[in-house]
Amino acid sequence: SVEQMVEKGPKPNYMSEKGYLCFESFADANKKCNPLTIRAVFDAMSTGDNVDPSIAQRKLDEFRSDPSAFKNSLQKQKLAGFSSIAFLLFLLGPIVAETCIEAASFGWFPEWPGGANLPWSLLIGPGFWTIPEYWI
């Protein structure tokens, strides 16, 4: 059971010390299984390295009774993880890109007339093709 995994398994982090099932405990309890399968089953229960024991037990029971539930849960967890990364990049991307482009324009071609209207001036007047004329 999951409670035995939590009790007997290693406790490498704070959450596992507080009673959560961590991946290391789950892998330790299933040493004779394929490591890729162990990771896939754990990922179907959680998006991180820790999962609440009651949720883990409920999910494992559900996977035993309905194999298609495993596939659906794994896809749902992976979609949640990938979409959170994509959303973070969506939020940070323009800020970082504009800062880098602006810094590069002021450092490498400060007299270029498009520096005030970045990033649009790369595409619409004067255009990125005029940068070599102002290169330091």
Side-chain angles (χ1 to χ4, degrees):
S1 75
V2 173
E3 282 116 15
Q4 290 174 340
M5 291 181 211
V6 171
E7 252 179 58
K8 296 178 182 177
K11 295 175 178 41
N13 57 37
Y14 177 77
M15 294 300 284
S16 61
E17 290 174 2
K18 295 299 178 188
Y20 278 71
L21 177 65
C22 66
F23 175 73
E24 288 81 3
S25 297
F26 187 72
D28 189 55
N30 297 294
K31 289 178 189 169
K32 296 179 182 175
C33 296
N34 182 340
L36 184 60
T37 304
I38 293 170
R39 187 76 229 187
V41 171
F42 193 84
D43 284 351
M45 296 186 291
S46 171
T47 54
D49 283 343
N50 300 301
V51 63
D52 187 305
S54 61
I55 293 173
Q57 188 64 57
R58 183 174 48 82
K59 291 273 192 176
L60 288 173
D61 293 340
E62 184 181 345
F63 298 160
R64 270 190 216 108
S65 64
D66 182 17
S68 66
F70 168 72
K71 180 184 121 185
N72 295 335
S73 181
L74 182 61
Q75 287 177 342
K76 178 182 164 194
Q77 295 294 358
K78 287 298 176 185
L79 181 63
F82 292 143
S83 62
S84 65
I85 291 170
F87 185 68
L88 179 66
L89 291 176
F90 170 76
L91 292 177
L92 293 177
I95 296 167
V96 172
E98 186 167 335
T99 303
C100 292
I101 291 171
E102 193 172 305
S105 74
F106 290 141
W108 291 99
F109 35 95
E111 295 175 2
W112 182 58
N117 298 321
L118 282 171
W120 304 114
S121 59
L122 291 170
L123 303 173
I124 306 168
F128 67 90
W129 54 87
T130 62
I131 290 174
E133 298 170 19
Y134 299 95
W135 200 269
I136 294 179

